[in-house]
């Protein structure tokens, strides 16, 4: 073989060797890759980056005020609306406050364990936490302990101040903490005892003492021993800012005996400013203060009435006596709504808020709104029905100026005039059990009435056992009957109210029905209006309270007149 051929053969052999090595390397790389993938699959690992831990949540320590849900601040309500987890003592928290939360919120009762541990765990899981405390977090509510524990755990937190019992409770008791002659306020936490009363002996300073409900005698003796005259005015208010609030006014010498039996929590106020209470008491002097009033209507129907009763100091309890259901044959309402649009009627008469609701729901089904009433005349039987129409966007053309009933509306209905009225038809979307008085009167006046069943009324299910027991046992101070059917249905589903319960009725017909069922009628509205009825009950309560004061009797609610009831001073 020539040298040139040998060289060529060597290069060929070297090339093959190199190619073989490269091929082997590729196979090895593939095998390694396959092994790596298999191992990754078997261990559950992926080529994706590991999931990041959840972002750390925050804890808001929120003051909910001393008791009255209306004292919750706007900031506190906003925090509750954003919260994922709320930690609170359920026994001390009104349901109205928790109503600000989302439906899916997690609520943890702080009585079940360490609230700091609950809050830390939820925040570390990325949740937004609200720790609700009574009053103001920084005043007698443990902010120092809980806040420092959160800080030590590395959990970010913020504080939302609340209305403090120190200022709110005296304000609700009608006692200003300062006046022109007294400018200094001293706040004392006596819950742990061991207070050096010598430090609070200055006669010109007002003392607000917390946590001394069970040591009133020791507190008063300590202050007198420190130099305060035993004639110094002193007051104690328990369950402040709630409708169970109770205040006694006395002196350091007699406060212990005067406050015996009062419930916790309570505040003691010491100083001459207590003397303002006679002039400034506004909360406990409301005409229906603390009265538990039964309102036999649904929450939707009773909303404005219940608000009015709360304004008088009452605690309304809505108990529906009827249930509103759709008509069995909806075709009637379908034809009526089409007739409204095509100009079949001259008038539409609404005799209840339920009728307004039924027509409104049909409008939604057909994609209509209040503009469909253009060119129609609309009548409403009373102020509540008229308000429902206005909310719908319809201004009634006729409402009775006198009695708010079918009879009252019929008395003011204009006669049909063929020269003025192009159509003589009147649509009445009503309940299935409506009376014929209005139709008879309109027919006499020359109108053609189309009575359409817009909804059915059936007796509601019985209320829970505690409500039934309160009705029959005298647990309610008053009951408002807004129609004869509410009398019949309430007695049918819950029993007859106790004889100490004040019976208030909306008008003569309801009064007759109540008496037929053996009830004593104490209050009747001057005109058939739920607002007038509530005002009449408030007037009755004010007169009753004034008579008790004039006679020198203890102030007692009607429910406290029954045998065995707890009596207030």
């Amino acid at each position: 073989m020539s040298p040139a051929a040998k060289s060529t053969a060597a290069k060929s052999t070297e090339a093959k060797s190199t190619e073989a090595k490269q091929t082997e390397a590729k196979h090895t790389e593939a095998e390694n890759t396959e092994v790596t993938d298999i191992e990754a699959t078997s261990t559950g690992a992926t080529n994706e980056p590991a999931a990041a831990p959840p972002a750390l949540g925050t804890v808001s320590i929120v003051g909910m005020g001393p008791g009255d849900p209306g004292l919750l601040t706007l900031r506190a309500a906003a925090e509750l609306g954003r919260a994922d987890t709320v930690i609170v003592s359920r026994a001390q928290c009104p349901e109205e406050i928790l109503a600000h939360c989302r439906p899916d919120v997690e609520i943890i009762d702080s009585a079940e364990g360490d609230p700091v541990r609950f809050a830390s765990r939820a925040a570390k899981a990325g949740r937004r936490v609200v720790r609700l405390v009574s009053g103001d977090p920084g005043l007698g509510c443990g902010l120092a302990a809980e806040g420092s524990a959160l800080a030590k755990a590395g959990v970010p937190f913020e504080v939302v101040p609340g209305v403090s019992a120190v200022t709110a409770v005296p304000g609700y008791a009608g006692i200003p903490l300062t006046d022109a002659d007294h400018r200094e306020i001293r706040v004392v936490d006596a819950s742990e005892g061991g207070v050096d009363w010598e430090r609070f002996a200055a006669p010109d300073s007002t003392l607000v003492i917390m946590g001394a409900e069970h040591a009133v005698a020791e507190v008063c003796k300590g202050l007198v021993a420190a130099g305060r005259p035993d004639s110094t005015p002193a007051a104690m208010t328990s369950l402040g800012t709630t409708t169970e609030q109770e205040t006694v006014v006395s002196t350091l010498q007699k406060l212990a005996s005067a406050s015996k039996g009062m419930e916790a929590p309570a505040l003691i106020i010491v100083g001459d400013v207590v003397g303002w209470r006679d002039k400034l008491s506004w909360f406990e002097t409301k005409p229906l203060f603390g009265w538990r009033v039964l309102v036999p209507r649904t929450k939707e129907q009773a909303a404005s009435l219940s608000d009015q009763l709360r304004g008088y100091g009452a605690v309304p309890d809505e108990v529906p006596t009827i249930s509103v259901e759709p008509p069995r044959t909806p075709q009637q309402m379908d034809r009526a709504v089409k007739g409204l649009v095509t100009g079949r009627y001259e008038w539409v008469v609404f005799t209840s808020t339920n009728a307004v609701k039924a027509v409104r729901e049909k409008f939604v089904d057909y994609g209509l709104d209040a503009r469909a009433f253009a060119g129609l005349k609309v009548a409403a039987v009373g102020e509540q029905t008229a308000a429902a129409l206005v909310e719908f966007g319809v201004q009634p053309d006729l409402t009775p100026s006198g009695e708010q009933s079918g009879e009252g509306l019929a008395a003011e209905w204009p006669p049909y005039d063929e020269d003025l009225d192009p159509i003589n038809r009147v649509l009445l979307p009503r309940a299935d059990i409506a009376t014929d008085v209005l139709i008879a009167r309109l027919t006499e006046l020359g109108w053609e009435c189309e009575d359409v069943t817009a909804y059915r009324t059936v007796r509601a299910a019985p209320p829970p056992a505690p409500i039934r027991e309160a009705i029959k046992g005298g647990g309610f101070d008053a009951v408002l009957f807004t129609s004869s059917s509410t009398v019949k249905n309430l007695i049918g589903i819950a029993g007859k109210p106790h004889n100490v319960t004040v019976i208030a009725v909306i008008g003569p017909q309801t009064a007759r029905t109540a008496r037929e069922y053996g009830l004593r009628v104490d209050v009747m509205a001057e005109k058939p209006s739920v607002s007038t009825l509530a005002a009449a009950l408030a007037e009755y309560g004010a007169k009753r309270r004034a008579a008790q004061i004039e006679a020198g009797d203890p102030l007692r609610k009607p429910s406290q007149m029954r045998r065995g009831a707890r009596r207030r001073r």
Side-chain angles (χ1 to χ4, degrees):
M1 182 179 293
S2 67
K6 289 181 179 178
S7 176
T8 301
K11 288 180 180 180
S12 176
T13 301
E14 184 180 353
K16 289 180 179 178
S17 176
T18 302
E19 184 180 354
K21 289 179 179 179
Q22 290 176 344
T23 301
E24 182 180 359
K26 288 180 179 178
H27 283 299
T28 302
E29 181 181 359
E31 289 171 0
N32 289 339
T33 301
E34 184 178 359
V35 170
T36 303
D37 290 343
I38 292 172
E39 289 175 349
T41 303
S42 66
T43 59
T46 65
N47 291 329
E48 297 179 0
L56 194 63
T58 59
V59 177
S60 296
I61 304 176
V62 177
M64 62 179 173
D68 182 352
L71 295 179
L72 189 73
T73 67
L74 292 174
R75 173 71 185 284
E79 288 296 328
L80 286 170
R82 290 191 288 263
D84 301 309
T85 298
V86 174
I87 302 166
V88 64
S89 170
R90 293 301 296 264
Q92 298 177 2
C93 183
E95 287 299 321
E96 295 92 332
I97 287 180
L98 295 180
H100 293 281
C101 300
R102 302 195 315 265
D104 62 341
V105 71
E106 175 190 30
I107 300 178
I108 300 175
D109 192 340
S110 60
E112 296 177 356
D114 179 8
V116 174
R117 182 169 57 86
F118 290 142
S120 298
R121 182 188 303 164
K124 289 178 179 178
R127 298 176 70 83
R128 192 177 187 115
V129 183
V130 165
R131 167 66 172 121
L132 268 180
V133 297
S134 297
D136 177 77
L139 196 54
C141 291
L143 171 60
E146 293 194 21
S148 61
L150 289 170
K152 184 177 180 181
V155 177
F157 69 91
E158 60 183 25
V159 177
V160 179
V163 176
S164 171
V166 169
T167 54
V169 172
Y172 270 56
I175 301 174
L177 297 181
T178 62
D179 60 16
D181 299 320
H182 305 87
R183 311 298 299 170
E184 183 181 7
I185 306 167
R186 308 288 298 276
V187 179
V188 184
D189 183 354
S191 58
E192 300 297 326
V195 179
D196 181 6
W197 295 111
E198 295 283 348
R199 299 170 54 196
F200 306 103
D204 292 334
S205 64
T206 299
L207 299 185
V208 180
I209 305 169
M210 304 182 297
E213 301 94 333
H214 306 297
V216 180
E218 291 82 348
V219 168
C220 294
K221 289 177 182 178
L223 286 170
V224 172
R228 289 251 184 175
D230 60 7
S231 60
T232 303
M236 184 166 168
T237 298
S238 70
L239 305 175
T241 78
T242 74
T243 50
E244 293 296 315
Q245 176 175 307
E246 182 178 6
T247 301
V248 296
V249 174
S250 186
T251 63
L252 286 178
Q253 182 182 20
K254 299 178 180 178
L255 183 64
S257 59
S259 62
K260 188 176 181 180
M262 291 180 69
E263 298 182 39
L267 282 183
I268 297 174
I269 306 161
V270 179
D272 291 339
V273 294
V274 170
W276 284 102
R277 175 173 161 81
D278 287 341
K279 295 180 180 179
L280 301 182
S281 179
W282 62 275
F283 186 52
E284 293 170 62
T285 55
K286 287 189 173 187
L288 299 177
F289 179 74
W291 282 37
R292 189 181 180 191
V293 179
L294 177 64
V295 182
R297 314 184 91 192
T298 64
K299 286 188 180 296
E300 293 79 9
Q301 291 176 314
S304 61
L305 175 58
S306 294
D307 286 344
Q308 186 177 355
L309 290 170
R310 290 188 190 97
Y312 296 134
V315 183
D317 206 330
E318 295 102 350
V319 175
T321 59
I322 63 169
S323 176
V324 177
E325 297 183 2
R328 288 192 175 91
T329 54
Q331 292 80 8
Q332 260 193 327
M333 274 291 286
D334 292 334
R335 288 194 296 269
V337 170
K338 290 177 183 177
L340 285 173
V341 177
T342 58
R344 177 176 173 79
Y345 306 106
E346 180 77 7
W347 281 91
V348 184
V349 182
F350 290 96
T351 56
S352 70
T353 57
N354 286 324
V356 177
K357 181 180 179 182
V359 171
R360 191 169 182 174
E361 289 174 350
K362 277 293 179 184
F363 271 36
V364 171
D365 291 342
Y366 282 100
L368 301 172
D369 57 28
R371 290 173 291 184
F373 284 96
L376 282 164
K377 296 175 185 176
V378 180
V381 76
E383 59 184 26
Q384 297 296 320
T385 305
L389 283 167
V390 171
E391 184 184 356
F392 185 18
V394 179
Q395 185 64 47
D397 298 283
L398 177 64
T399 54
S401 56
E403 179 180 340
Q404 297 188 6
S405 64
E407 292 87 343
L409 185 61
E412 301 186 26
W413 197 272
Y416 171 68
D417 188 327
E418 60 182 9
D419 294 326
L420 299 177
D421 303 308
I423 304 170
N424 75 332
R425 291 191 193 89
V426 178
L427 173 64
L428 290 93
R430 307 191 299 170
D432 57 334
I433 58 171
T435 62
D436 294 330
V437 175
L438 179 58
I439 289 179
R441 175 59 178 157
L442 297 188
T443 302
E444 290 175 2
L445 293 172
W447 296 94
E448 179 185 335
C449 297
E450 288 193 9
D451 189 11
V452 174
T453 299
Y455 61 94
R456 292 184 300 120
T457 56
V458 298
R459 181 176 288 180
I467 296 291
R468 300 197 303 271
E469 292 167 5
I471 291 172
K472 293 182 287 187
F476 283 100
D477 296 289
V479 56
L480 299 184
F481 287 118
T482 55
S483 66
S484 291
S485 63
T486 58
V487 178
K488 299 173 185 176
N489 289 337
L490 182 69
I491 293 175
I493 65 176
K496 184 178 173 182
H498 194 279
N499 60 10
V500 300
T501 305
V502 174
I503 306 298
V505 300
I506 201 166
Q509 180 58 51
T510 306
R512 283 193 292 272
T513 304
R515 292 189 182 103
E516 287 172 2
Y517 279 83
L519 298 178
R520 178 198 67 253
V521 175
D522 302 293
V523 179
M524 185 168 69
E526 292 183 357
K527 62 178 183 178
S529 153
V530 292
S531 177
T532 305
L533 176 58
L537 180 63
E539 182 180 358
Y540 175 91
K543 290 180 179 178
R544 186 178 185 279
R545 185 178 189 278
Q548 288 178 335
I549 293 174
E550 185 177 355
D553 295 332
L555 296 179
R556 297 174 189 163
K557 299 181 295 184
S559 61
Q560 292 170 325
M561 302 302 290
R562 71 190 192 279
R563 185 177 300 175
R566 187 178 78 88
R567 296 184 175 181
R568 299 173 69 92
R569 291 164 186 80

